[in-house]
């Protein structure tokens, strides 16, 4: 059985005052069955982990460097993030692929270091609108999956998030059929590469404009084991109903 996961990505949002929201979320999720993860900016990691100690909410980071230490001004290693209280790290988010030119190779290298540091790597894949309109969605997602996942992928080390770029922050959501098509294909690719036992333990999240209002129908799709949520993770009042919808779908 794959444990459901509701992950929130705060992106470049939040200063100390946002910790109150996190406390509210921890309170709202005190009986959650699903795993709840919030990925605040790195500046808040340590304090966020303290706010969530003894709660159902764990804390993750949004990126890490692929090296373990060294002369990389401004970067953070997976070990540092783990030391600050992170249990997971988002890697290869489309905003990092676009803003920082991250390739599948970069993402795979980062994932290897993250796993070695004891973090779960949440690896993002997803097509652009051009890809989709050109009928290339499955080809693009398969190539990203093949290139970004390290060989030591397992159900405990890796989570895959399918995030169509055109659905992120736009309010546009694929149809449940479109989500199902990609998630089925992701599962099949994982089975081919890692074998059924490992593949069936890897959680597949959907991300892109998930809100309380659409969570239920998305979570009813086969092979959707949870969500990676941006905007609607910033407020406890928006995120807690998504966690509740996930619990209800289990
Ligand atoms: P969104 O972001 O929920 O605001 O669309 C999702 C993401 O980027 O992970």
């Amino acid at each position: 059985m794959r444990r459901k996961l509701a992950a929130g990505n705060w992106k470049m949002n939040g200063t100390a005052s946002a910790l109150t929201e996190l406390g509210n979320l921890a309170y709202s999720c005190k009986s959650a069955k699903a795993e709840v993860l919030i990925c605040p900016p790195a500046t808040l990691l340590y304090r966020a982990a303290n706010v969530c100690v003894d709660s159902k909410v764990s804390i993750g980071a949004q990126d890490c460097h692929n090296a373990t230490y060294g002369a990389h001004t401004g970067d953070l290693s997976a070990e540092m993030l783990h030391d600050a209280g992170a249990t997971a790290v988002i890697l290869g988010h489309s905003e990092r692929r676009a803003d920082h030119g991250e390739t599948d190779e970069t993402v795979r290298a980062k994932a290897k270091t993250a796993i070695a540091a004891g973090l779960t790597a949440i690896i993002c894949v997803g097509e652009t609108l051009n890809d989709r309109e050109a009928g290339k969605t499955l080809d693009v997602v398969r190539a990203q999956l093949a290139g970004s996942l390290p060989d030591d992928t397992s159900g405990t080390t890796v989570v895959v998030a399918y995030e169509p770029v055109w659905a992120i922050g736009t309010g546009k959501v694929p149809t449940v059929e479109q989500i199902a098509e990609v998630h089925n294909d992701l599962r099949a690719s994982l089975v081919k590469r890692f074998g059924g036992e490992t593949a069936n333990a890897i959680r597949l999240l959907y991300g892109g404009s998930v809100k309380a209002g659409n969570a239920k129908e998305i979570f009813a799709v086969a092979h959707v084991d949870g969500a990676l949520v941006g905007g609607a993770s910033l407020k406890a009042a928006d995120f807690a109903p998504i966690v509740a919808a996930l619990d209800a779908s289990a």
Side-chain angles (χ1 to χ4, degrees), residues 9 11 90 93-95 124 163 167-171 207-211 228-232:
N9 173 10
K11 309 189 180 185
I90 299 169
H93 189 281
S94 67
E95 286 151 16
C124 304
E163 298 206 304
I168 295 176
T170 59
S209 297
V210 176
K211 310 229 162 354
L228 180 54
V229 183

Side-chain angles (χ1 to χ4, degrees), residues 2 187 189-192 194-203:
R2 298 183 291 272
R187 184 72 68 203
S189 298
L190 292 173
V191 170
K192 226 186 252 169
F194 300 106
E197 197 176 329
T198 299
N200 286 318
I202 299 168
R203 292 174 291 180

